[in-house]
């Protein structure tokens, strides 16, 4: 197989037919040696029915349906595990990732690039959203051990060598943007203009974006834990200075009744420091908890692959 295309889907009934038609046409113009792997991530609409319809009429179409919604990270992992192509493309089902870029990706991949990465601009995005996105990437670049770039997501073509390297990492708490950066290998970035979703509604809301951002910060570094040490040391220094200040006041002015505000302020300050530190440690402990249980990333309910139990 020359090209495998992995397309995670979650409640994409409204856009899926358009995506299938455009993607199939683009791939047929490149080669007849391709497969399209749709992963139904526990959709509650007619997504799975459409995938079965595509598969019945097109031998290039494969589908995997999860027993429930396990998340996009698990869907991408399943697609990569089942991929048999020399080159594997990962893209969204909403056509915000233009299929017409695949030919250009393949050209660079054949020249020896192990990751051909599509980077979108921010044309048409809300100014407030773009601002927070830029701030997030700046923060992550300072905190993590991998480099993340604004506008670069999951849309990319991977060589078999890069794909096999990704599949050796079986951690439960996956953050693919970081994993793509961590494996390294030869990269080529191609830029494209931002596109709006062709149909349907985005599955991302503010809360899910915040959780995803926290996962990115915690998955590739232990700097927040070190930050707890530094802030604790800072709090100790402030406390010692305050004790010295009070001691000097007693020496030169005599014993005075401590103020209510000072007591409450001190309790709140150091109580807050302790709670934040415990919370950060708890996030790491929680991730360890999920890792040691070794649960599968997903469970396959239906598929037209011959090896249904592939893991």
């Amino acid at each position: 197989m020359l090209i495998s295309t992995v397309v995670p889907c979650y409640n994409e009934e409204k856009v899926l037919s358009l995506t299938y038609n455009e993607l199939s046409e683009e791939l047929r113009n490149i080669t007849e040696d391709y497969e399209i792997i749709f992963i139904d991530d526990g959709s509650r609409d007619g997504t799975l029915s459409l995938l079965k319809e595509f598969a019945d009429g097109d031998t290039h179409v494969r589908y995997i349906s999860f027993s429930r919604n396990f998340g996009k990270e698990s869907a991408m992992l399943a697609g990569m595990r089942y991929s048999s192509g020399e080159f594997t493309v990962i893209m969204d089902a909403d056509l915000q990732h233009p299929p017409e870029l695949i030919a250009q990706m393949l050209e660079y991949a054949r020249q020896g690039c192990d990751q051909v990465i599509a980077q979108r601009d921010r044309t048409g995005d809300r100014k407030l959203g773009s601002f927070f996105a830029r701030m997030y990437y700046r923060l992550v670049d300072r905190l993590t051990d991998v480099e993340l770039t604004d506008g670069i997501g999951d849309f990319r073509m991977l060589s078999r060598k890069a794909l096999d390297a990704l599949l050796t990492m079986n951690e439960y708490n996956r953050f693919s943007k970081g994993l793509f950066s961590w494996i390294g290998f030869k990269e080529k970035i191609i830029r494209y203009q931002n596109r709006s979703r062709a149909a349907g509604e985005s599955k991302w809301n503010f809360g899910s974006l915040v959780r995803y951002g926290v996962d990115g910060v915690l998955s590739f570094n232990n700097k927040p834990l070190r930050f707890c040490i530094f802030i604790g040391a800072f709090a100790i220094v402030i406390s010692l200075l305050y004790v010295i200040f009070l001691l000097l006041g007693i020496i030169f002015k005599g014993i005075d009744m401590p103020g209510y505000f000072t007591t409450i302020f001190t309790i709140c300050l150091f109580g807050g420091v302790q709670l934040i530190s415990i919370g950060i440690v708890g996030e790491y402990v929680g991730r360890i908890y999920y890792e040691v249980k070794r649960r599968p990333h997903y469970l396959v309910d239906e598929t037209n692959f011959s090896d249904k139990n592939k893991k």
Side-chain angles (χ1 to χ4, degrees):
M1 191 70 63
L2 178 63
I3 300 176
S4 296
T5 307
V6 175
V7 187
C9 308
Y10 179 60
N11 294 339
E12 299 290 0
E13 179 184 16
K14 294 180 180 179
V15 72
L16 206 53
S17 294
L18 184 60
T19 300
Y20 165 69
N21 291 331
E22 289 195 18
L23 182 57
S24 296
E25 181 180 1
E26 181 64 30
L27 291 171
R28 281 195 300 268
N29 291 334
I30 298 173
T31 179
E32 285 296 323
D33 192 18
Y34 71 89
E35 65 179 354
I36 305 175
I37 305 174
F38 290 102
I39 300 92
D40 173 33
D41 186 20
S43 298
R44 299 178 180 178
D45 58 2
T47 295
L48 181 57
S49 298
L50 283 174
L51 296 183
K52 291 180 178 180
E53 182 181 326
F54 300 156
D56 289 340
D58 187 348
T59 58
H60 295 286
V61 174
R62 311 281 190 268
Y63 70 86
I64 304 165
S65 179
F66 289 169
S67 61
R68 65 169 178 84
N69 177 244
F70 285 90
K72 184 181 178 182
E73 291 289 342
S74 295
M76 289 193 296
L77 177 62
M80 291 189 290
R81 285 177 172 173
Y82 280 83
S83 169
S84 59
E86 180 182 353
F87 304 103
T88 298
V89 177
I90 302 173
M91 61 183 298
D92 290 346
D94 55 12
L95 289 180
Q96 286 187 295
H97 295 163
E100 56 266 26
L101 290 181
I102 294 177
Q104 187 179 358
M105 288 178 167
L106 181 61
E107 180 180 348
Y108 286 114
R110 281 174 162 167
Q111 294 174 9
C113 296
D114 294 297
Q115 293 196 70
V116 184
I117 305 163
Q119 180 183 14
R120 70 182 180 92
D121 60 24
R122 291 286 176 183
T123 303
D125 281 1
R126 296 179 179 178
K127 293 183 178 180
L128 184 61
S130 298
F131 171 77
F132 281 119
R134 289 193 296 270
M135 293 300 102
Y136 168 73
Y137 281 104
R138 289 179 183 177
L139 175 65
V140 169
D141 281 339
R142 292 185 178 184
L143 289 179
T144 63
D145 300 324
V146 295
E147 181 180 355
L148 301 183
T149 304
D150 186 16
I152 290 181
D154 304 316
F155 187 26
R156 65 190 62 218
M157 177 177 284
L158 302 167
S159 69
R160 175 50 56 177
K161 179 171 67 173
L163 183 67
D164 289 341
L166 285 168
L167 293 179
T168 62
M169 295 179 284
N170 289 316
E171 59 254 47
Y172 185 83
N173 299 284
R174 300 183 68 83
F175 181 68
S176 289
K177 286 184 179 181
L179 295 176
F180 290 140
S181 178
W182 188 87
I183 63 172
F185 297 122
K186 187 176 180 181
E187 298 179 352
K188 173 64 180 180
I189 296 176
I190 56 177
R191 293 173 174 80
Y192 69 99
Q193 188 172 0
N194 188 31
R195 290 176 55 168
S196 300
R197 166 180 276 270
E201 299 177 354
S202 174
K203 310 308 181 295
W204 294 91
N205 54 39
F206 181 76
S208 59
L209 289 172
V210 170
R211 289 192 294 272
Y212 189 69
V214 172
D215 286 339
V217 172
L218 298 182
S219 294
F220 282 89
N221 76 103
N222 61 354
K223 290 181 181 178
L225 292 175
R226 294 179 182 176
F227 178 74
C228 291
I229 297 174
F230 295 141
I231 197 172
F234 176 76
I236 291 173
V237 171
I238 295 297
S239 300
L240 291 175
L241 292 176
Y242 184 63
V243 169
I244 293 173
F245 173 78
L246 292 178
L247 181 60
L248 292 175
I250 292 173
I251 293 173
F252 292 104
K253 296 181 180 180
I255 299 177
D256 190 13
M257 181 67 66
Y260 175 79
F261 173 79
T262 304
T263 303
I264 295 300
F265 174 78
T266 305
I267 293 174
C268 291
L269 174 64
F270 295 109
V273 170
Q274 291 173 342
L275 289 175
I276 291 173
S277 301
I278 292 172
I280 293 175
V281 173
E283 283 287 337
Y284 282 96
V285 173
R287 279 162 167 72
I288 296 171
Y289 171 70
Y290 281 108
E291 292 291 343
V292 298
K293 287 195 293 187
R294 306 300 297 170
R295 287 179 180 172
H297 295 87
Y298 54 84
L299 295 175
V300 176
D301 184 29
E302 296 182 52
T303 181
N304 64 341
F305 279 95
S306 58
D307 186 2
K308 179 177 179 179
N309 297 318
K310 188 172 183 179
K311 296 180 180 179

